[in-house]
Amino acid sequence: MRSRKGIAVAAIVGFVAFLMPIAISLRLAWKQGIEDQKREGMRYASEVLRRCNETSFQFERAIRLLNNDHFAHCSPQEIDLMRQIDVGSSYIQMVGRISGNTLECTSLGTTKPMDMGKPTLMTVTGTAERINVSLGPNQLDRLDLVDQHGVAVLVDSSLVVDIPKEGDDVELAVFVPSTPNRERLGAVGSNFRPKWFEPAAKGAVTSYIDGDSVVSQARSGPYDYAAISVIPSRYAYHYVRQFALIFIPVGLSCGLLLGWAVLYISRARSSIPALVRAAARNQEFSVEYQPIVEMATRRLVGAEALVRWKRGGTWISPANFIPLAEESGVITQITDSVIRMVARDLPKLLEADTGFRVSINLSPADLAASATEEKLKELLRRSGAEPRNLVVEATESGFLQGSDTRAVIAGIRRQGIHVAIDDFGTGYSSLACLQTLEIDVMKIDKAFVETIGTDGPTSQVVQHIIEIGHSMNMMMAAEGVETEAQAGYLHSRGVQFGQGWLFGRPMSVDALRRKLDEQNADAMAAQLTA
């Protein structure tokens, strides 16, 4: 009997000894998961608040410029200044003059006074805000009108809460702490609790657990805004699973550990970053070239190298794999593949035209890596090309990475390679890029080219972008040119180069070489008949 009792006690002690480290590890994993969700929530709230502060900073800049311009109110000169402020501001949709409740003129070119009604709210800083206003039938979304010191701006509050999140049920909101009802200016989600809007101290960031939610709040110091994020606490279970597998090896058999390792490896091998690495090794990437023409003569003078990925029998869109590759850090391997293929293809193109230029897109990671300069030098060496035969392109976000990026760009330009800012006008700091960086070419985004000849609210933006390019003596290339009307408009206003389906769709290097040969043959025939 004692033996049985001893066996039972030993079994119980052994079972408890087996469960104890598991229970402790699960508890630690849960706490760690909650702490990680708090950090993630504070990151969300801080990013939303950063966008709010940036919007307010751009508004203050507009006030400062307009109230010190010495132009007559609503004069053509002041409206032109409004347009420049509008184009150079990432969150401002329109700039105007306001007196009382009357909007007198705007950067959209309107000069007919409009009664905007009384403000929805007034902040402690003296800013009047009207929520969900419309300036006319052509305005697709209802936006917010903010005014102070006689200057009004139109902003889309949804932009400040439109950030990447780990799940659709993560909720975000921006509110005004000084208002009695904690008036919300923008929100994603609808299951907010009133107590979540009790404001924190100015300039503070806080996070806490409320029931089944991790609530984080960030309040601005200089401005009357605060942002909150709400993450379901069940998200922490992901960390429980992860940390449990790390902290509870005691009592688990080697077979279970091996099974977990196999599962982990299989998941890692099927991840997008692993697939991209494998694609680079297996040479699954290819390059197509979209022609670039000289607008005045329609002569083919260059092409943009566009990466393509065929996995099995399926073509994968760059829109699907490039962002993931940038986030995971494997984008530089894709760039390396593109550089190798361009080095292979360039001699074919230079045989037909020694002045031909090929544009290569660089990611923010490429611009921050000093090795990029050497890779471009190696491309020139292997292809026999001159620096004038290369152009590197990057979006505005790529240019704004810091001192390392500036050093790499300067090194590229010292080689004699031109640098282009891609998709100009769609980022956050367009004018800042142009004023602080040495850039040779401005590429006008397709979204603005499409508005040429339309009555849309942004149809005049392309003209302002062209004026900025001329004022800074930059070469300009328009993307997405699809009609003769667009081409004629751009050429008449001094845009030197264009690319788009009007001039040719992306094609193989052999097809591009044939087009160059045909162009040379036509030029030769024209000389013989002259």
Side-chain angles (χ1 to χ4, degrees), residues 299-321:
R299 189 172 67 89
L300 177 58
V301 295
E304 179 179 356
L306 303 174
V307 66
R308 298 291 185 257
W309 183 14
K310 188 175 185 180
R311 181 167 176 77
T314 303
W315 287 101
I316 301 176
S317 170
N320 292 332
F321 69 85

mmCIF file with all atom_site columns, all heavy atoms in Angstrom, residues 299-321:
data_model
loop_
_atom_site.group_PDB
_atom_site.id
_atom_site.type_symbol
_atom_site.label_atom_id
_atom_site.label_alt_id
_atom_site.label_comp_id
_atom_site.label_asym_id
_atom_site.label_entity_id
_atom_site.label_seq_id
_atom_site.pdbx_PDB_ins_code
_atom_site.Cartn_x
_atom_site.Cartn_y
_atom_site.Cartn_z
_atom_site.occupancy
_atom_site.B_iso_or_equiv
_atom_site.pdbx_formal_charge
_atom_site.auth_seq_id
_atom_site.auth_comp_id
_atom_site.auth_asym_id
_atom_site.auth_atom_id
_atom_site.pdbx_PDB_model_num
ATOM 1   N N   . ARG A 1 299 ? 11.894 60.625 -80.195 1.00 0.00 ? 299 ARG A N   1
ATOM 2   C CA  . ARG A 1 299 ? 13.002 59.689 -80.391 1.00 0.00 ? 299 ARG A CA  1
ATOM 3   C C   . ARG A 1 299 ? 13.228 58.886 -79.111 1.00 0.00 ? 299 ARG A C   1
ATOM 4   O O   . ARG A 1 299 ? 13.223 59.424 -78.007 1.00 0.00 ? 299 ARG A O   1
ATOM 5   C CB  . ARG A 1 299 ? 14.281 60.451 -80.760 1.00 0.00 ? 299 ARG A CB  1
ATOM 6   C CG  . ARG A 1 299 ? 15.433 59.555 -81.198 1.00 0.00 ? 299 ARG A CG  1
ATOM 7   C CD  . ARG A 1 299 ? 16.581 60.382 -81.738 1.00 0.00 ? 299 ARG A CD  1
ATOM 8   N NE  . ARG A 1 299 ? 17.199 61.189 -80.690 1.00 0.00 ? 299 ARG A NE  1
ATOM 9   C CZ  . ARG A 1 299 ? 18.199 60.766 -79.917 1.00 0.00 ? 299 ARG A CZ  1
ATOM 10  N NH1 . ARG A 1 299 ? 18.685 59.553 -80.089 1.00 0.00 ? 299 ARG A NH1 1
ATOM 11  N NH2 . ARG A 1 299 ? 18.712 61.573 -79.003 1.00 0.00 ? 299 ARG A NH2 1
ATOM 12  N N   . LEU A 1 300 ? 13.412 57.584 -79.246 1.00 0.00 ? 300 LEU A N   1
ATOM 13  C CA  . LEU A 1 300 ? 13.673 56.709 -78.114 1.00 0.00 ? 300 LEU A CA  1
ATOM 14  C C   . LEU A 1 300 ? 15.089 56.969 -77.598 1.00 0.00 ? 300 LEU A C   1
ATOM 15  O O   . LEU A 1 300 ? 16.070 56.747 -78.311 1.00 0.00 ? 300 LEU A O   1
ATOM 16  C CB  . LEU A 1 300 ? 13.510 55.249 -78.558 1.00 0.00 ? 300 LEU A CB  1
ATOM 17  C CG  . LEU A 1 300 ? 13.817 54.151 -77.540 1.00 0.00 ? 300 LEU A CG  1
ATOM 18  C CD1 . LEU A 1 300 ? 12.954 54.304 -76.310 1.00 0.00 ? 300 LEU A CD1 1
ATOM 19  C CD2 . LEU A 1 300 ? 13.605 52.785 -78.171 1.00 0.00 ? 300 LEU A CD2 1
ATOM 20  N N   . VAL A 1 301 ? 15.186 57.444 -76.342 1.00 0.00 ? 301 VAL A N   1
ATOM 21  C CA  . VAL A 1 301 ? 16.501 57.818 -75.808 1.00 0.00 ? 301 VAL A CA  1
ATOM 22  C C   . VAL A 1 301 ? 16.884 57.020 -74.568 1.00 0.00 ? 301 VAL A C   1
ATOM 23  O O   . VAL A 1 301 ? 18.023 57.091 -74.113 1.00 0.00 ? 301 VAL A O   1
ATOM 24  C CB  . VAL A 1 301 ? 16.539 59.327 -75.467 1.00 0.00 ? 301 VAL A CB  1
ATOM 25  C CG1 . VAL A 1 301 ? 16.390 60.161 -76.712 1.00 0.00 ? 301 VAL A CG1 1
ATOM 26  C CG2 . VAL A 1 301 ? 15.465 59.680 -74.440 1.00 0.00 ? 301 VAL A CG2 1
ATOM 27  N N   . GLY A 1 302 ? 15.950 56.272 -74.009 1.00 0.00 ? 302 GLY A N   1
ATOM 28  C CA  . GLY A 1 302 ? 16.265 55.522 -72.798 1.00 0.00 ? 302 GLY A CA  1
ATOM 29  C C   . GLY A 1 302 ? 15.148 54.563 -72.445 1.00 0.00 ? 302 GLY A C   1
ATOM 30  O O   . GLY A 1 302 ? 14.156 54.431 -73.161 1.00 0.00 ? 302 GLY A O   1
ATOM 31  N N   . ALA A 1 303 ? 15.316 53.884 -71.308 1.00 0.00 ? 303 ALA A N   1
ATOM 32  C CA  . ALA A 1 303 ? 14.299 52.946 -70.840 1.00 0.00 ? 303 ALA A CA  1
ATOM 33  C C   . ALA A 1 303 ? 14.474 52.745 -69.349 1.00 0.00 ? 303 ALA A C   1
ATOM 34  O O   . ALA A 1 303 ? 15.585 52.871 -68.811 1.00 0.00 ? 303 ALA A O   1
ATOM 35  C CB  . ALA A 1 303 ? 14.394 51.608 -71.566 1.00 0.00 ? 303 ALA A CB  1
ATOM 36  N N   . GLU A 1 304 ? 13.363 52.444 -68.669 1.00 0.00 ? 304 GLU A N   1
ATOM 37  C CA  . GLU A 1 304 ? 13.405 52.133 -67.246 1.00 0.00 ? 304 GLU A CA  1
ATOM 38  C C   . GLU A 1 304 ? 13.372 50.622 -67.074 1.00 0.00 ? 304 GLU A C   1
ATOM 39  O O   . GLU A 1 304 ? 12.518 49.938 -67.632 1.00 0.00 ? 304 GLU A O   1
ATOM 40  C CB  . GLU A 1 304 ? 12.215 52.767 -66.519 1.00 0.00 ? 304 GLU A CB  1
ATOM 41  C CG  . GLU A 1 304 ? 12.204 52.459 -65.023 1.00 0.00 ? 304 GLU A CG  1
ATOM 42  C CD  . GLU A 1 304 ? 11.043 53.114 -64.288 1.00 0.00 ? 304 GLU A CD  1
ATOM 43  O OE1 . GLU A 1 304 ? 10.285 53.867 -64.922 1.00 0.00 ? 304 GLU A OE1 1
ATOM 44  O OE2 . GLU A 1 304 ? 10.900 52.855 -63.088 1.00 0.00 ? 304 GLU A OE2 1
ATOM 45  N N   . ALA A 1 305 ? 14.321 50.091 -66.297 1.00 0.00 ? 305 ALA A N   1
ATOM 46  C CA  . ALA A 1 305 ? 14.386 48.650 -66.033 1.00 0.00 ? 305 ALA A CA  1
ATOM 47  C C   . ALA A 1 305 ? 13.374 48.294 -64.947 1.00 0.00 ? 305 ALA A C   1
ATOM 48  O O   . ALA A 1 305 ? 13.449 48.794 -63.823 1.00 0.00 ? 305 ALA A O   1
ATOM 49  C CB  . ALA A 1 305 ? 15.790 48.259 -65.592 1.00 0.00 ? 305 ALA A CB  1
ATOM 50  N N   . LEU A 1 306 ? 12.426 47.431 -65.286 1.00 0.00 ? 306 LEU A N   1
ATOM 51  C CA  . LEU A 1 306 ? 11.361 47.023 -64.377 1.00 0.00 ? 306 LEU A CA  1
ATOM 52  C C   . LEU A 1 306 ? 11.515 45.540 -64.062 1.00 0.00 ? 306 LEU A C   1
ATOM 53  O O   . LEU A 1 306 ? 11.566 44.702 -64.959 1.00 0.00 ? 306 LEU A O   1
ATOM 54  C CB  . LEU A 1 306 ? 9.990  47.283 -65.010 1.00 0.00 ? 306 LEU A CB  1
ATOM 55  C CG  . LEU A 1 306 ? 9.721  48.734 -65.434 1.00 0.00 ? 306 LEU A CG  1
ATOM 56  C CD1 . LEU A 1 306 ? 8.394  48.831 -66.171 1.00 0.00 ? 306 LEU A CD1 1
ATOM 57  C CD2 . LEU A 1 306 ? 9.736  49.665 -64.226 1.00 0.00 ? 306 LEU A CD2 1
ATOM 58  N N   . VAL A 1 307 ? 11.573 45.217 -62.760 1.00 0.00 ? 307 VAL A N   1
ATOM 59  C CA  . VAL A 1 307 ? 11.782 43.832 -62.363 1.00 0.00 ? 307 VAL A CA  1
ATOM 60  C C   . VAL A 1 307 ? 10.473 43.047 -62.483 1.00 0.00 ? 307 VAL A C   1
ATOM 61  O O   . VAL A 1 307 ? 9.390  43.554 -62.213 1.00 0.00 ? 307 VAL A O   1
ATOM 62  C CB  . VAL A 1 307 ? 12.337 43.751 -60.922 1.00 0.00 ? 307 VAL A CB  1
ATOM 63  C CG1 . VAL A 1 307 ? 11.326 44.249 -59.899 1.00 0.00 ? 307 VAL A CG1 1
ATOM 64  C CG2 . VAL A 1 307 ? 12.762 42.322 -60.589 1.00 0.00 ? 307 VAL A CG2 1
ATOM 65  N N   . ARG A 1 308 ? 10.604 41.788 -62.917 1.00 0.00 ? 308 ARG A N   1
ATOM 66  C CA  . ARG A 1 308 ? 9.464  40.880 -63.039 1.00 0.00 ? 308 ARG A CA  1
ATOM 67  C C   . ARG A 1 308 ? 9.824  39.565 -62.344 1.00 0.00 ? 308 ARG A C   1
ATOM 68  O O   . ARG A 1 308 ? 10.979 39.150 -62.319 1.00 0.00 ? 308 ARG A O   1
ATOM 69  C CB  . ARG A 1 308 ? 9.143  40.612 -64.515 1.00 0.00 ? 308 ARG A CB  1
ATOM 70  C CG  . ARG A 1 308 ? 8.740  41.865 -65.291 1.00 0.00 ? 308 ARG A CG  1
ATOM 71  C CD  . ARG A 1 308 ? 7.376  42.367 -64.823 1.00 0.00 ? 308 ARG A CD  1
ATOM 72  N NE  . ARG A 1 308 ? 6.898  43.487 -65.613 1.00 0.00 ? 308 ARG A NE  1
ATOM 73  C CZ  . ARG A 1 308 ? 6.921  44.750 -65.207 1.00 0.00 ? 308 ARG A CZ  1
ATOM 74  N NH1 . ARG A 1 308 ? 7.430  45.044 -64.002 1.00 0.00 ? 308 ARG A NH1 1
ATOM 75  N NH2 . ARG A 1 308 ? 6.444  45.716 -65.966 1.00 0.00 ? 308 ARG A NH2 1
ATOM 76  N N   . TRP A 1 309 ? 8.783  38.888 -61.782 1.00 0.00 ? 309 TRP A N   1
ATOM 77  C CA  . TRP A 1 309 ? 9.001  37.637 -61.061 1.00 0.00 ? 309 TRP A CA  1
ATOM 78  C C   . TRP A 1 309 ? 7.987  36.618 -61.535 1.00 0.00 ? 309 TRP A C   1
ATOM 79  O O   . TRP A 1 309 ? 6.777  36.811 -61.374 1.00 0.00 ? 309 TRP A O   1
ATOM 80  C CB  . TRP A 1 309 ? 8.890  37.856 -59.557 1.00 0.00 ? 309 TRP A CB  1
ATOM 81  C CG  . TRP A 1 309 ? 9.176  36.628 -58.744 1.00 0.00 ? 309 TRP A CG  1
ATOM 82  C CD1 . TRP A 1 309 ? 9.755  35.476 -59.160 1.00 0.00 ? 309 TRP A CD1 1
ATOM 83  C CD2 . TRP A 1 309 ? 8.908  36.459 -57.342 1.00 0.00 ? 309 TRP A CD2 1
ATOM 84  N NE1 . TRP A 1 309 ? 9.873  34.587 -58.133 1.00 0.00 ? 309 TRP A NE1 1
ATOM 85  C CE2 . TRP A 1 309 ? 9.362  35.154 -56.998 1.00 0.00 ? 309 TRP A CE2 1
ATOM 86  C CE3 . TRP A 1 309 ? 8.356  37.267 -56.362 1.00 0.00 ? 309 TRP A CE3 1
ATOM 87  C CZ2 . TRP A 1 309 ? 9.256  34.653 -55.710 1.00 0.00 ? 309 TRP A CZ2 1
ATOM 88  C CZ3 . TRP A 1 309 ? 8.248  36.763 -55.071 1.00 0.00 ? 309 TRP A CZ3 1
ATOM 89  C CH2 . TRP A 1 309 ? 8.694  35.476 -54.750 1.00 0.00 ? 309 TRP A CH2 1
ATOM 90  N N   . LYS A 1 310 ? 8.477  35.539 -62.112 1.00 0.00 ? 310 LYS A N   1
ATOM 91  C CA  . LYS A 1 310 ? 7.621  34.429 -62.543 1.00 0.00 ? 310 LYS A CA  1
ATOM 92  C C   . LYS A 1 310 ? 7.941  33.231 -61.677 1.00 0.00 ? 310 LYS A C   1
ATOM 93  O O   . LYS A 1 310 ? 9.028  32.662 -61.745 1.00 0.00 ? 310 LYS A O   1
ATOM 94  C CB  . LYS A 1 310 ? 7.855  34.117 -64.020 1.00 0.00 ? 310 LYS A CB  1
ATOM 95  C CG  . LYS A 1 310 ? 6.857  33.115 -64.575 1.00 0.00 ? 310 LYS A CG  1
ATOM 96  C CD  . LYS A 1 310 ? 7.049  32.915 -66.068 1.00 0.00 ? 310 LYS A CD  1
ATOM 97  C CE  . LYS A 1 310 ? 5.984  32.004 -66.645 1.00 0.00 ? 310 LYS A CE  1
ATOM 98  N NZ  . LYS A 1 310 ? 6.159  31.806 -68.119 1.00 0.00 ? 310 LYS A NZ  1
ATOM 99  N N   . ARG A 1 311 ? 6.971  32.846 -60.834 1.00 0.00 ? 311 ARG A N   1
ATOM 100 C CA  . ARG A 1 311 ? 7.146  31.688 -59.948 1.00 0.00 ? 311 ARG A CA  1
ATOM 101 C C   . ARG A 1 311 ? 6.283  30.560 -60.477 1.00 0.00 ? 311 ARG A C   1
ATOM 102 O O   . ARG A 1 311 ? 5.060  30.645 -60.481 1.00 0.00 ? 311 ARG A O   1
ATOM 103 C CB  . ARG A 1 311 ? 6.778  32.038 -58.514 1.00 0.00 ? 311 ARG A CB  1
ATOM 104 C CG  . ARG A 1 311 ? 6.969  30.857 -57.574 1.00 0.00 ? 311 ARG A CG  1
ATOM 105 C CD  . ARG A 1 311 ? 6.906  31.290 -56.130 1.00 0.00 ? 311 ARG A CD  1
ATOM 106 N NE  . ARG A 1 311 ? 6.985  30.160 -55.239 1.00 0.00 ? 311 ARG A NE  1
ATOM 107 C CZ  . ARG A 1 311 ? 8.099  29.502 -54.930 1.00 0.00 ? 311 ARG A CZ  1
ATOM 108 N NH1 . ARG A 1 311 ? 9.241  29.874 -55.489 1.00 0.00 ? 311 ARG A NH1 1
ATOM 109 N NH2 . ARG A 1 311 ? 8.078  28.476 -54.110 1.00 0.00 ? 311 ARG A NH2 1
ATOM 110 N N   . GLY A 1 312 ? 6.942  29.481 -60.923 1.00 0.00 ? 312 GLY A N   1
ATOM 111 C CA  . GLY A 1 312 ? 6.192  28.427 -61.578 1.00 0.00 ? 312 GLY A CA  1
ATOM 112 C C   . GLY A 1 312 ? 5.676  28.959 -62.902 1.00 0.00 ? 312 GLY A C   1
ATOM 113 O O   . GLY A 1 312 ? 6.409  29.440 -63.745 1.00 0.00 ? 312 GLY A O   1
ATOM 114 N N   . GLY A 1 313 ? 4.371  28.912 -63.084 1.00 0.00 ? 313 GLY A N   1
ATOM 115 C CA  . GLY A 1 313 ? 3.775  29.463 -64.296 1.00 0.00 ? 313 GLY A CA  1
ATOM 116 C C   . GLY A 1 313 ? 3.037  30.751 -64.053 1.00 0.00 ? 313 GLY A C   1
ATOM 117 O O   . GLY A 1 313 ? 2.263  31.200 -64.903 1.00 0.00 ? 313 GLY A O   1
ATOM 118 N N   . THR A 1 314 ? 3.242  31.368 -62.875 1.00 0.00 ? 314 THR A N   1
ATOM 119 C CA  . THR A 1 314 ? 2.480  32.554 -62.491 1.00 0.00 ? 314 THR A CA  1
ATOM 120 C C   . THR A 1 314 ? 3.387  33.764 -62.364 1.00 0.00 ? 314 THR A C   1
ATOM 121 O O   . THR A 1 314 ? 4.442  33.698 -61.730 1.00 0.00 ? 314 THR A O   1
ATOM 122 C CB  . THR A 1 314 ? 1.769  32.322 -61.138 1.00 0.00 ? 314 THR A CB  1
ATOM 123 O OG1 . THR A 1 314 ? 0.933  31.173 -61.246 1.00 0.00 ? 314 THR A OG1 1
ATOM 124 C CG2 . THR A 1 314 ? 0.920  33.533 -60.764 1.00 0.00 ? 314 THR A CG2 1
ATOM 125 N N   . TRP A 1 315 ? 2.951  34.858 -63.005 1.00 0.00 ? 315 TRP A N   1
ATOM 126 C CA  . TRP A 1 315 ? 3.662  36.131 -62.844 1.00 0.00 ? 315 TRP A CA  1
ATOM 127 C C   . TRP A 1 315 ? 3.160  36.801 -61.580 1.00 0.00 ? 315 TRP A C   1
ATOM 128 O O   . TRP A 1 315 ? 1.956  36.960 -61.384 1.00 0.00 ? 315 TRP A O   1
ATOM 129 C CB  . TRP A 1 315 ? 3.417  37.042 -64.042 1.00 0.00 ? 315 TRP A CB  1
ATOM 130 C CG  . TRP A 1 315 ? 4.132  36.595 -65.276 1.00 0.00 ? 315 TRP A CG  1
ATOM 131 C CD1 . TRP A 1 315 ? 3.605  35.922 -66.329 1.00 0.00 ? 315 TRP A CD1 1
ATOM 132 C CD2 . TRP A 1 315 ? 5.516  36.792 -65.575 1.00 0.00 ? 315 TRP A CD2 1
ATOM 133 N NE1 . TRP A 1 315 ? 4.565  35.674 -67.271 1.00 0.00 ? 315 TRP A NE1 1
ATOM 134 C CE2 . TRP A 1 315 ? 5.755  36.195 -66.843 1.00 0.00 ? 315 TRP A CE2 1
ATOM 135 C CE3 . TRP A 1 315 ? 6.573  37.400 -64.918 1.00 0.00 ? 315 TRP A CE3 1
ATOM 136 C CZ2 . TRP A 1 315 ? 6.998  36.199 -67.442 1.00 0.00 ? 315 TRP A CZ2 1
ATOM 137 C CZ3 . TRP A 1 315 ? 7.821  37.408 -65.515 1.00 0.00 ? 315 TRP A CZ3 1
ATOM 138 C CH2 . TRP A 1 315 ? 8.029  36.820 -66.761 1.00 0.00 ? 315 TRP A CH2 1
ATOM 139 N N   . ILE A 1 316 ? 4.071  37.200 -60.701 1.00 0.00 ? 316 ILE A N   1
ATOM 140 C CA  . ILE A 1 316 ? 3.724  37.869 -59.444 1.00 0.00 ? 316 ILE A CA  1
ATOM 141 C C   . ILE A 1 316 ? 3.934  39.360 -59.625 1.00 0.00 ? 316 ILE A C   1
ATOM 142 O O   . ILE A 1 316 ? 5.009  39.804 -60.033 1.00 0.00 ? 316 ILE A O   1
ATOM 143 C CB  . ILE A 1 316 ? 4.574  37.341 -58.281 1.00 0.00 ? 316 ILE A CB  1
ATOM 144 C CG1 . ILE A 1 316 ? 4.352  35.826 -58.137 1.00 0.00 ? 316 ILE A CG1 1
ATOM 145 C CG2 . ILE A 1 316 ? 4.219  38.055 -56.980 1.00 0.00 ? 316 ILE A CG2 1
ATOM 146 C CD1 . ILE A 1 316 ? 5.230  35.185 -57.082 1.00 0.00 ? 316 ILE A CD1 1
ATOM 147 N N   . SER A 1 317 ? 2.898  40.140 -59.316 1.00 0.00 ? 317 SER A N   1
ATOM 148 C CA  . SER A 1 317 ? 2.976  41.587 -59.505 1.00 0.00 ? 317 SER A CA  1
ATOM 149 C C   . SER A 1 317 ? 4.005  42.215 -58.572 1.00 0.00 ? 317 SER A C   1
ATOM 150 O O   . SER A 1 317 ? 4.078  41.852 -57.386 1.00 0.00 ? 317 SER A O   1
ATOM 151 C CB  . SER A 1 317 ? 1.604  42.218 -59.247 1.00 0.00 ? 317 SER A CB  1
ATOM 152 O OG  . SER A 1 317 ? 1.699  43.624 -59.195 1.00 0.00 ? 317 SER A OG  1
ATOM 153 N N   . PRO A 1 318 ? 4.811  43.181 -59.068 1.00 0.00 ? 318 PRO A N   1
ATOM 154 C CA  . PRO A 1 318 ? 5.751  43.891 -58.181 1.00 0.00 ? 318 PRO A CA  1
ATOM 155 C C   . PRO A 1 318 ? 5.043  44.563 -57.007 1.00 0.00 ? 318 PRO A C   1
ATOM 156 O O   . PRO A 1 318 ? 5.629  44.709 -55.937 1.00 0.00 ? 318 PRO A O   1
ATOM 157 C CB  . PRO A 1 318 ? 6.406  44.922 -59.118 1.00 0.00 ? 318 PRO A CB  1
ATOM 158 C CG  . PRO A 1 318 ? 6.269  44.334 -60.486 1.00 0.00 ? 318 PRO A CG  1
ATOM 159 C CD  . PRO A 1 318 ? 4.955  43.594 -60.483 1.00 0.00 ? 318 PRO A CD  1
ATOM 160 N N   . ALA A 1 319 ? 3.792  44.965 -57.207 1.00 0.00 ? 319 ALA A N   1
ATOM 161 C CA  . ALA A 1 319 ? 3.048  45.601 -56.108 1.00 0.00 ? 319 ALA A CA  1
ATOM 162 C C   . ALA A 1 319 ? 2.846  44.651 -54.951 1.00 0.00 ? 319 ALA A C   1
ATOM 163 O O   . ALA A 1 319 ? 2.640  45.084 -53.814 1.00 0.00 ? 319 ALA A O   1
ATOM 164 C CB  . ALA A 1 319 ? 1.694  46.102 -56.620 1.00 0.00 ? 319 ALA A CB  1
ATOM 165 N N   . ASN A 1 320 ? 2.922  43.345 -55.217 1.00 0.00 ? 320 ASN A N   1
ATOM 166 C CA  . ASN A 1 320 ? 2.721  42.360 -54.158 1.00 0.00 ? 320 ASN A CA  1
ATOM 167 C C   . ASN A 1 320 ? 4.020  41.981 -53.455 1.00 0.00 ? 320 ASN A C   1
ATOM 168 O O   . ASN A 1 320 ? 4.016  41.724 -52.247 1.00 0.00 ? 320 ASN A O   1
ATOM 169 C CB  . ASN A 1 320 ? 2.078  41.093 -54.738 1.00 0.00 ? 320 ASN A CB  1
ATOM 170 C CG  . ASN A 1 320 ? 0.654  41.324 -55.199 1.00 0.00 ? 320 ASN A CG  1
ATOM 171 O OD1 . ASN A 1 320 ? -0.042 42.183 -54.670 1.00 0.00 ? 320 ASN A OD1 1
ATOM 172 N ND2 . ASN A 1 320 ? 0.205  40.566 -56.180 1.00 0.00 ? 320 ASN A ND2 1
ATOM 173 N N   . PHE A 1 321 ? 5.140  41.923 -54.200 1.00 0.00 ? 321 PHE A N   1
ATOM 174 C CA  . PHE A 1 321 ? 6.349  41.431 -53.537 1.00 0.00 ? 321 PHE A CA  1
ATOM 175 C C   . PHE A 1 321 ? 7.368  42.518 -53.200 1.00 0.00 ? 321 PHE A C   1
ATOM 176 O O   . PHE A 1 321 ? 8.161  42.332 -52.264 1.00 0.00 ? 321 PHE A O   1
ATOM 177 C CB  . PHE A 1 321 ? 7.015  40.324 -54.376 1.00 0.00 ? 321 PHE A CB  1
ATOM 178 C CG  . PHE A 1 321 ? 7.648  40.763 -55.670 1.00 0.00 ? 321 PHE A CG  1
ATOM 179 C CD1 . PHE A 1 321 ? 8.934  41.262 -55.709 1.00 0.00 ? 321 PHE A CD1 1
ATOM 180 C CD2 . PHE A 1 321 ? 6.959  40.644 -56.874 1.00 0.00 ? 321 PHE A CD2 1
ATOM 181 C CE1 . PHE A 1 321 ? 9.521  41.639 -56.901 1.00 0.00 ? 321 PHE A CE1 1
ATOM 182 C CE2 . PHE A 1 321 ? 7.539  41.007 -58.070 1.00 0.00 ? 321 PHE A CE2 1
ATOM 183 C CZ  . PHE A 1 321 ? 8.833  41.515 -58.086 1.00 0.00 ? 321 PHE A CZ  1
#
